[in-house]
Amino acid sequence: MSHSKPTSPAVQAVASPQFQSYLNNDGIDELTPISRKHRVSNLSLSDLNQWQNGLTKLSSSTSLSNSSNNLKKADSLVKLSRNSSIIRRKKKTVIDHPRVASYAFCFDIDGVILRGPETIPEAAPALRMLNGENKYNITVPTIFVTNGGGKPESARSDDLSKRLGVKITPEQIIQGHTPMKDLVGVYKNVLVVGGVGNVCRNVAESYGFEHVYTPLDILKWNPAVTPYHDLSPEEIAAAKDVDFSKVSIEAILVFADSRNWAADQQIILELLLSKNGVMGTESTTYDEGPAIYFAHSDFIWATNYKLSRYGMGALQVSIAALYREHTGHELKVNRFGKPQKGTFKFANKVLTHWRQGVLDQHLKKLSINDPNSHEADILINEDGDEIINQSKLETYDSESDEDSAAEIEIKEPLARVGNEDKIKLELPPASTVYFVGDTPESDIRFANSHDASWHSILVKTGVYKAGTVPKYAPKHTCENVLEAVEYAIEREHQKELAEWNETVDDDDDKGSRINFADLMMTPSDTAKPEKVVQKETIVRKTRPLVVTEHEELEVPTLLSQEIAKVKDVKVDKP
Ligand code: G3P
Ligand code: MG
């Protein structure tokens, strides 16, 4: 795709190596995306899961290979070994049985799904397609990562559900400020900036922050703090009565776009230059003020106006310029939002959790229509494919197998026992995560910088202008979100079909062999699964591969310094 429009002198200026953007001083461009050590299967998650749980030595139970009402009852789960599953599969020209994809989708919102108050028309059909309405009957786990905010995740998901005609839940939504939940245990007194009225205060309190103040509270306490702005009746109603000469603000959390740049900047700068975050005080060293966190750093964003508008990144630049002009120092800020690594890790955790939920939902649905299904471990659907009986798995009661369990000493449990009667199995990482965005500086950089299995797609319905050269090159560019989904579903079906047929035997009756040893669930060493690896290492090895890769949350360096600073500071209660 050629981006051949001549670049304007202004674009050349900011692109020149001399120009050091304040918003680009956090080393993200120096990051190397992690690449997988192990191959991740492109076969669907539900197929993999069923086969992985095909915990019956199928080779020993030939009876399974004919009619569906010949259900087999496995006598005890713990006796079953993971890697000896042999699955009967036929060569295919298309894979279209209902299943859950091993790949996943992640959407930006402004400029991809919405343009200001308007819904982009291709968004609804795109989400329906990922929800299973496609010729391959595949359901693709999907989450949303927006730098936007200023409302509860539940309000955002309800709004999207109505607009898109597909059920979207709060668990699928990450807004710019969502990862700030992890700061709840660090700060008690926080000033939350942005949004309308008390919306952001309510969101921060719903996250668990104890004392949440807003600039409106400060203006009500002393309107002289910012000249030229008289509080409206709504603003007075939203403000709390607080004596800020007695409150020490520990952190400033900019949750959403400011609705009053003049007043918010006046208050933020006064606190940054204060002694211990107390209004009306001034530090002589300018380093005694509260920490400041921004939900994102988007310099511009796409609304329903024809040209992009300044965003929170522009406010950051303005505050940093005032701070530098006032102190001669560079302002240190903590950033969340795309393209930050902290938000990437947060998104991965949310995506893993959501994929597990979609898989459980799917497996539950599978075994309803057979009267004897509750008995059997393995069921045969009308296509002749064997499927694990999920509901039996979930009602498995380990007690009754006490004696047989004892006999096999398993170092690492094959499966984790959640609460007493639930068995939870680890999920492989997504084979590919498609990230669709409209802003190269935040979206494409986010998808390209952290994990090589993420596939960035740039659409032309937002900030990015067709024909210009995006500062960060996407893996694919297309007109809109629907084209992005069609492109990915087709691309993934090709990969899945190739792998499916790669491992089938031509002659039907002998059945196909899959040895999970060489799939990603186990390390790439092709040690014979039957031997010790089976019991000893494989199970152990799989554990670190799967989820932990993205588990711990990146704590911005400044934060740990802050934690050290505030650990033993006595804050006098407001
Ligand atoms: O204020 C949010 C805007 O800057 C971008 O939102 O959804 O494109 O990440 P989004
Ligand atoms: Mg966007």
Side-chain angles (χ1 to χ4, degrees), residues 189-227:
N189 298 352
V190 295
L191 178 78
V192 168
V193 179
V196 180
N198 269 332
V199 177
C200 287
R201 186 204 313 266
N202 302 342
V203 174
E205 285 171 349
S206 74
Y207 287 171
F209 285 103
E210 263 176 74
H211 305 298
V212 182
Y213 306 104
T214 68
L216 292 180
D217 300 346
I218 293 176
L219 293 181
K220 186 177 181 189
W221 165 68
N222 185 343
V225 163
T226 184

Side-chain angles (χ1 to χ4, degrees), residues 394-399 416-423:
E394 277 160 14
T395 56
Y396 163 64
D397 141 34
S398 54
E399 262 70 42
R416 282 195 186 294
V417 175
N419 50 31
E420 264 332 294
D421 58 358
K422 274 221 163 306
I423 289 189

Side-chain angles (χ1 to χ4, degrees), residues 227-246:
Y228 321 128
H229 178 74
D230 302 331
L231 287 179
S232 67
E234 297 76 27
E235 288 174 328
I236 292 170
K240 274 188 182 171
D241 293 317
V242 181
D243 176 357
F244 283 95
S245 65
K246 295 194 176 49

Side-chain angles (χ1 to χ4, degrees), residues 254-378:
V254 184
F255 262 41
D257 289 338
S258 162
R259 282 4 183 225
N260 182 340
W261 279 44
D264 289 349
Q265 288 190 85
Q266 182 68 71
I267 291 168
I268 290 173
L269 264 295
E270 176 170 341
L271 287 170
L272 291 173
L273 304 177
S274 72
K275 265 182 134 358
N276 296 328
V278 180
M279 287 296 290
T281 67
E282 212 171 357
S283 159
T284 50
T285 55
Y286 298 136
D287 61 355
E288 299 170 277
I292 184 164
Y293 295 82
F294 288 92
H296 71 89
S297 313
D298 287 356
F299 187 61
I300 54 173
W301 65 300
T303 68
N304 52 345
Y305 182 67
K306 69 183 185 28
L307 299 176
S308 297
R309 304 290 77 185
Y310 282 136
M312 192 185 286
L315 178 70
Q316 251 187 72
V317 169
S318 171
I319 290 170
L322 290 168
Y323 183 88
R324 189 169 48 211
E325 195 64 25
H326 198 127
T327 66
H329 301 305
E330 178 95 356
L331 174 62
K332 290 196 185 56
V333 299
N334 301 289
R335 294 182 176 127
F336 283 96
K338 301 165 289 183
Q340 299 300 328
K341 191 168 184 173
T343 293
F344 182 83
K345 288 201 164 189
F346 196 93
N348 256 311
K349 250 165 79 172
V350 168
L351 183 59
T352 301
H353 188 67
W354 182 249
R355 292 174 61 238
Q356 182 70 59
V358 174
L359 178 62
D360 290 351
Q361 209 50 39
H362 170 82
L363 294 175
K364 267 208 191 66
K365 256 189 294 167
L366 273 180
S367 58
I368 287 162
N369 54 16
D370 185 293
N372 325 359
S373 63
H374 62 287
E375 283 301 308
D377 281 326
I378 303 281

Side-chain angles (χ1 to χ4, degrees), residues 452-499:
S453 70
W454 283 52
H455 192 96
S456 53
I457 302 179
L458 182 61
V459 293
K460 305 172 185 175
T461 47
V463 167
Y464 166 66
K465 293 286 166 279
T468 61
V469 179
K471 190 162 176 214
Y472 297 91
K475 294 193 178 141
H476 182 69
T477 303
C478 56
E479 294 303 317
N480 56 53
V481 61
L482 182 55
E483 277 194 15
V485 169
E486 287 162 345
Y487 154 80
I489 287 186
E490 215 36 69
R491 182 171 184 268
E492 288 295 328
H493 182 261
Q494 293 317 317
K495 292 199 280 179
E496 185 187 8
L497 189 61
E499 186 173 334

Side-chain angles (χ1 to χ4, degrees), residues 107-114 145-149 156 174 176 255-257 296-302 309-313 338 435 437-439 442-443 463:
F107 286 112
D108 168 44
I109 293 182
D110 291 306
V112 174
I113 309 282
L114 305 181
V145 183
T146 172
N147 278 350
R156 175 85 64 174
I174 299 169
F255 262 41
D257 289 338
H296 71 89
S297 313
D298 287 356
F299 187 61
I300 54 173
W301 65 300
R309 304 290 77 185
Y310 282 136
M312 192 185 286
K338 301 165 289 183
F435 188 87
D438 71 304
T439 310
S442 63
D443 302 318
V463 167

